[in-house]
Amino acid sequence: MRVFELEGRTALVTGAGQGVGAGIAELMARQGAVVAVNDVVAERAEAVVERIRAAGGAAHVLPFDVTDRAAAGPAVRGFERRAAPVDILVNNAGNGGAEGFRPTRFRDADPAEWQRFAEVNLFGVMNTTRAVLDGMCARRYGRIITIASGAGVQGLGFGVSLYGAAKGGAIAFTRHLAMEHARDGITANSVAVGLIDPAASGRQADKTAAMAKAIPVGRLGTPEDIGAVCVFLASREAEWITGQTWQVNGGQPTT
């Protein structure tokens, strides 16, 4: 039997139309999971599904906005009726949401911007988790993985306080969720991601090149780096790991 295999499991990966989310979805499919690829932009999700299928995997497009609680629940339930119950949820959608964001010190940030960081990075996690949780409890099996950030566990000085606050909230939420459902066969863990190569999401790397030099392992992270951790946390081998925050960052910082 292969280790870290996901045969017979169905995974929902949010924000998986590009970057880290796409890497997670593709690696989970490679390990045998049927993957529901979510994105707020349907065309991006379709492109990832096409790549997964071309590689011999099984995947479905599941577009909805994680910040819209009224849409998330029906979308997930509809998918489960058509395809299969969700065994694995990866809460990857985040960052600045559909609008993206430019690092800005809290003092200089428009208060009108505060809410959207919480909407996608915290409430979006809650919305999708709530959509799958009843089914996981009924089946007494589930893996919930929240993609967070180093900004959620340490203070940084380059203008990510709003983002960091929301990610810190998602980490705390996931920790409590793990304790509430530890006896229901459900594990819940967070991944505090370090500096990822922006080219994975089609962005320029000029602003991160200098920061990359300070990473002990000497390179930026890739979607595959994060995907590998998610595959492990979703596997049977990780069933005794819950309520933890995994630092995946090339060694900066260490804990």
Side-chain angles (χ1 to χ4, degrees):
M1 182 180 293
R2 294 188 304 168
V3 295
F4 315 135
E5 60 91 14
L6 302 177
E7 292 283 349
R9 298 300 182 190
T10 299
L12 165 58
V13 185
T14 67
Q18 61 182 347
V20 167
I24 295 169
E26 291 180 46
L27 198 53
M28 285 194 164
R30 198 181 309 162
Q31 292 302 108
V34 175
V35 182
V37 178
N38 162 264
D39 201 275
V40 71
V41 179
E43 292 76 14
R44 290 197 302 233
E46 289 166 359
V48 174
V49 167
E50 288 177 7
R51 290 202 301 271
I52 289 173
R53 290 175 176 172
H60 303 267
V61 176
L62 186 55
F64 64 86
D65 184 347
V66 300
T67 68
D68 185 349
R69 183 167 57 88
V76 171
R77 288 191 293 272
F79 168 79
E80 291 188 318
R81 285 193 297 269
R82 294 189 308 273
V86 173
D87 304 298
I88 302 160
L89 170 65
V90 183
N91 286 308
N92 170 75
N95 202 293
E99 301 172 52
F101 83 97
R102 181 170 53 88
T104 305
R105 295 191 311 164
F106 177 72
R107 183 183 179 191
D108 302 322
D110 183 346
E113 295 284 285
W114 298 358
Q115 186 70 22
R116 69 184 178 93
F117 285 93
E119 288 289 351
V120 66
N121 293 291
L122 176 54
F123 295 121
V125 170
M126 293 180 176
N127 290 339
T128 51
T129 298
R130 188 66 184 85
V132 303
L133 194 54
D134 285 347
M136 288 181 173
C137 287
R139 296 185 302 276
R140 300 195 61 77
Y141 183 91
R143 299 285 186 267
I144 297 172
I145 303 163
T146 296
I147 303 302
S149 168
V153 295
Q154 67 174 127
L156 300 169
F158 50 83
V160 292
S161 54
L162 298 176
Y163 171 73
K167 286 296 190 185
I171 290 170
F173 167 71
T174 303
R175 218 178 266 140
H176 287 282
L177 188 75
M179 297 300 97
E180 290 177 2
H181 294 287
R183 298 296 177 93
D184 294 321
I186 297 167
T187 66
N189 294 283
S190 301
V191 181
V193 176
L195 195 60
I196 299 295
D197 189 343
S201 298
R203 302 193 306 272
Q204 296 295 319
D206 53 342
K207 293 184 178 179
T208 55
M211 298 170 70
K213 294 177 181 178
I215 297 174
V217 302
R219 67 168 176 86
L220 296 168
T222 68
E224 292 73 22
D225 292 325
I226 310 307
V229 175
C230 290
V231 164
F232 169 65
L233 290 174
S235 72
R236 67 169 60 86
E237 285 80 4
E239 67 180 8
W240 208 49
I241 298 171
T242 195
Q244 305 305 309
T245 304
W246 289 62
Q247 299 256 18
V248 185
N249 52 30
Q252 186 187 39
T254 60
T255 56

